[in-house]
Amino acid sequence: MNSQSTNSSLSFKEIFELSYWKIVKLFSKKLNDNSHYKHFYTSNFSLSEEFYNDKIILDIGCGPRGSLEWADMVKERIGIDPLADQYLKMGAKEHKMSYLKAYVEDIPFPDNYFDIISSFNSLDHVENMELACREISRTLKPDGLFLLLVDIHTRPTLTEPQTMNWNFIRDYFPEFEILEEKHLERTKTYRIYTNVRNSKLVDENSTRGVLTAKLKKPAKT
């Protein structure tokens, strides 16, 4: 299938997102950004590299920049994204992590499969939040961790159709234990990762910000 017919099967939102990544690659010349993501999986959530030894990890909406390239110690590292096939053609096939075309509303893995699931700057991009969160809970092992970074905003956009508020994790993951939660400032100047690194707390009355949370799925009873 040629690129024209492939692109024509994408939604307008996906075409917009793919165009963004093509621009990023044009200016950065490469897509592997190992040092960038490592901090957010470790120091940002008070987790050591050793914690990930022999774990199975899933990154939701992984993008094409090798979000799990740093994790050589894990048993299995998988990124799912609706644009995964396009990312592989852009150069992601050179990465050590696995890319799989899939939507979070239908994660193609069995129950209780992953030790860790992450969603960094991606969950507000989904079409069906209730189904997405249900799938995260289904595929995460008991006592497994869900790591979340997401923008809080009250107005939907083309690429972020979901509005988000500070009660998100209590509304959608009420059974999970909250191990860590921060409400951070979000500025127009910086993207989500820079805002998280700045770690400036914001008042809960604010309608915009960045939610960062480490949640644990309850053990089987």
Side-chain angles (χ1 to χ4, degrees):
M1 183 181 293
N2 60 41
S3 59
Q4 182 177 0
S5 60
T6 299
N7 286 342
S8 66
S9 67
L10 301 177
S11 69
F12 188 76
K13 182 180 74 170
E14 291 168 345
I15 291 173
F16 188 91
E17 292 177 344
L18 183 60
S19 298
Y20 166 80
W21 285 117
K22 287 182 176 180
I23 292 172
V24 169
K25 183 182 180 183
L26 179 65
F27 285 96
S28 65
K29 306 300 182 184
K30 64 178 183 178
L31 291 174
N32 194 334
D33 203 352
N34 190 15
S35 60
H36 168 75
Y37 288 103
K38 180 180 175 180
H39 166 80
F40 297 99
Y41 281 95
T42 55
S43 301
N44 184 68
F45 286 111
S46 303
L47 297 173
S48 66
E49 291 183 55
E50 289 74 20
F51 171 80
Y52 288 89
N53 286 347
D54 206 33
K55 297 289 200 305
I56 302 175
I57 182 170
L58 173 71
D59 185 23
I60 293 167
C62 59
R65 302 187 76 173
S67 59
L68 300 175
E69 285 296 278
W70 60 275
D72 291 328
M73 74 294 293
V74 302
K75 180 179 181 180
E76 195 172 356
R77 45 184 157 175
I78 301 162
I80 63 169
D81 197 297
L83 296 171
D85 290 349
Q86 283 75 23
Y87 296 157
L88 292 171
K89 295 175 183 177
M90 291 170 62
K93 63 183 178 181
E94 299 176 5
H95 297 164
K96 292 174 285 186
M97 62 182 284
S98 299
Y99 286 84
L100 179 64
K101 179 181 178 180
Y103 293 86
V104 64
E105 293 94 336
D106 187 17
I107 300 175
F109 288 90
D111 296 354
N112 307 318
Y113 188 83
F114 297 101
D115 298 289
I116 302 151
I117 295 179
S118 63
S119 174
F120 293 174
N121 196 27
S122 64
L123 206 51
D124 53 340
H125 293 241
V126 306
E127 297 295 334
N128 187 320
M129 185 65 76
E130 182 176 355
L131 187 54
C133 294
R134 190 186 308 162
E135 280 291 274
I136 291 170
S137 180
R138 178 186 68 80
T139 55
L140 186 63
K141 292 179 180 179
D143 286 328
L145 294 186
F146 176 44
L147 307 179
L148 175 68
L149 302 177
V150 68
D151 280 327
I152 298 300
H153 53 88
T154 57
R155 293 184 179 180
T157 67
L158 174 64
T159 58
E160 299 173 341
Q162 298 290 337
T163 58
M164 308 292 291
N165 62 61
W166 299 116
N167 291 322
F168 170 77
I169 55 179
R170 291 166 181 82
D171 290 341
Y172 286 94
F173 296 95
E175 74 281 10
F176 278 46
E177 179 183 356
I178 302 173
L179 301 179
E180 180 179 309
E181 178 182 3
K182 295 179 184 178
H183 299 177
L184 305 177
E185 181 183 48
R186 178 186 177 211
T187 67
K188 293 182 179 180
T189 306
Y190 301 118
R191 298 189 182 279
I192 185 171
Y193 293 109
T194 304
N195 285 315
V196 173
R197 281 187 179 274
N198 288 344
S199 295
K200 294 181 180 179
L201 298 179
V202 67
D203 188 278
E204 288 192 12
N205 293 323
S206 175
T207 57
R208 60 184 288 120
V210 178
L211 173 62
T212 170
K214 179 170 67 175
L215 311 178
K216 184 168 77 169
K217 181 177 175 178
K220 289 183 177 179
T221 57

